[in-house]
């Protein structure tokens, strides 16, 4: 990919996010043969551009962490992107539809490490050993592509649809809970809409952090201490609409609620 085309594609997805405007997927016409490695290059430059404009990376986020979804997409690894400071939503403030195009929500379990982890052999056991806290979280995803229509390279280039995040206040020790069997229930307007367990995330949410470390090791990077790490959706992504009142019960890990406004 030539430098001029790379810049064009970075600006394409960046302006769509900035202006909250739908776009057709990159692979439809702009770059039909976009590969995963090239998509991560676009993502990397997108992140650099946002940082250059004064935004700060809060931490990484994982996507495509369902084994069934990975098999469906014919990939061996999940995908990752990054959460920025302008995406943070306090639990006490509403999620405003005006800040998004067509938002969906996913309940997740967040990790905060007490030690940087590097290498191609990082394990889930090491993640648990070096985790300071785990916490409940909700990610608001908002693909910039029309009708959420995209290929795997498209969504990687779009920073894995990162748009918003709500971090729960309750912090727990990773050894205090069996995260693989932890049940999570999502209710919208009092009606149960989804249920899942921690095992939906690569068998165990700690494996998601370990997989991220192993993926980043390919470019000489790792997962950093003190950064919140989102491990991936426990249930399917659910559409949000103005007027919705969302309540997520994470069992022993706590609860998280928010409302949606226009």
């Amino acid at each position: 990919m030539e430098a001029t085309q790379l810049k064009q594609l970075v600006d394409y997805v960046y302006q769509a996010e900035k202006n909250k405007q739908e776009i057709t997927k990159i692979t439809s016409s702009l770059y039909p043969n976009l590969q995963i490695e090239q998509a991560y290059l676009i993502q990397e430059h997108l992140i650099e551009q946002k940082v250059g404009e004064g935004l700060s990376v809060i931490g990484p986020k994982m996507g495509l962490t369902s084994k069934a979804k990975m098999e469906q997409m014919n990939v061996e690894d999940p995908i990752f992107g990054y959460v920025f400071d302008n995406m943070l939503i306090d639990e006490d403030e509403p999620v405003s539809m005006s800040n998004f195009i067509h938002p969906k929500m996913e309940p997740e379990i967040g990790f905060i490490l007490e030690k940087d982890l590097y290498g191609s052999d990082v394990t889930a056991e090491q993640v648990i050993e070096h985790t300071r806290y785990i916490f409940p979280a909700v990610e608001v995803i908002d693909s910039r592509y029309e009708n959420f229509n995209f290929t795997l390279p498209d969504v990687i280039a779009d920073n894995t649809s990162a748009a918003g995040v709500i971090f729960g206040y309750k912090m727990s020790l990773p050894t205090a809970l069996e995260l693989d069997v932890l049940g999570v229930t999502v209710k919208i307007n009092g009606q149960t809409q989804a249920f899942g367990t921690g095992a939906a995330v690569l068998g165990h949410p700690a494996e998601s952090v370990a997989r991220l470390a192993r993926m980043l090791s390919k470019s000489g990077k790792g997962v950093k201490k003190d950064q919140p790490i989102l491990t991936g959706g426990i249930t399917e992504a659910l559409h949000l609409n103005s007027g919705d009142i969302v309540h997520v019960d994470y069992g022993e890990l706590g609860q998280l609620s928010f409302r949606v406004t226009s």
Side-chain angles (χ1 to χ4, degrees), residues 18-253:
K18 189 174 183 179
N19 298 323
K20 302 173 184 62
Q21 182 179 7
E22 285 185 313
I23 54 176
T24 57
K25 60 186 179 182
I26 293 172
T27 55
S28 65
S29 58
L30 287 176
Y31 205 94
N33 296 319
L34 184 68
Q35 302 298 306
I36 288 177
E37 294 79 10
Q38 295 168 322
Y40 274 118
L41 183 61
I42 294 171
Q43 184 194 107
E44 181 180 342
H45 282 256
L46 173 67
I47 291 165
E48 289 177 357
Q49 182 165 335
K50 295 176 77 168
V51 170
E53 294 193 6
L55 297 177
S56 299
V57 173
I58 296 298
K61 50 153 290 190
M62 291 287 274
L64 204 65
T65 50
S66 159
K67 291 184 177 180
K69 189 67 174 178
M70 289 170 63
E71 290 176 0
Q72 178 185 341
M73 299 293 286
N74 195 29
V75 294
E76 296 181 355
D77 286 314
I79 59 177
F80 64 86
Y82 293 90
V83 174
F84 284 82
D85 54 350
N86 67 329
M87 299 177 182
L88 295 176
I89 304 169
D90 192 272
E91 187 178 355
D92 297 327
E93 67 176 293
V95 172
S96 175
M97 293 291 292
S98 63
N99 292 328
F100 306 96
I101 302 170
H102 39 206
K104 298 181 181 182
M105 62 80 65
E106 295 178 337
E108 306 199 14
I109 294 175
F111 279 63
I112 296 178
L113 303 179
E114 61 184 8
K115 175 185 177 180
D116 294 350
L117 293 177
Y118 293 87
S120 59
D121 57 353
V122 174
T123 65
E125 289 75 20
Q126 289 175 312
V127 170
I128 292 293
E129 179 184 357
H130 297 296
T131 295
R132 179 176 287 120
Y133 298 117
I134 54 175
F135 59 92
V138 162
E139 183 184 4
V140 179
I141 59 173
D142 190 34
S143 171
R144 270 54 74 168
Y145 301 118
E146 292 175 341
N147 302 316
F148 273 83
N149 179 21
F150 49 73
T151 67
L152 189 63
D154 286 307
V155 71
I156 292 171
D158 188 34
N159 192 26
T160 63
S161 305
V165 64
I166 305 170
F167 295 144
Y169 297 130
K170 183 179 179 181
M171 300 287 181
S172 302
L173 297 175
T175 53
L177 302 170
E178 294 183 67
L179 294 181
D180 54 339
V181 298
L182 182 77
V184 176
T185 303
V186 181
K187 290 186 177 182
I188 300 179
N189 303 323
Q191 300 296 314
T192 298
Q193 298 296 328
F195 174 82
T197 66
V201 182
L202 296 175
H204 193 292
E207 174 58 30
S208 180
V209 181
R211 188 75 66 91
L212 175 61
R214 299 199 294 266
M215 293 169 68
L216 289 173
S217 72
K218 297 175 183 177
S219 56
K221 302 176 183 177
V223 287
K224 298 180 180 179
K225 66 178 182 180
D226 300 328
Q227 282 191 338
I229 303 167
L230 295 179
T231 54
I234 294 171
T235 71
E236 68 269 27
L238 301 171
H239 282 283
L240 294 176
N241 298 285
S242 179
D244 283 346
I245 297 176
V246 182
H247 179 78
V248 188
D249 188 338
Y250 300 80
E252 295 177 79
L253 191 56

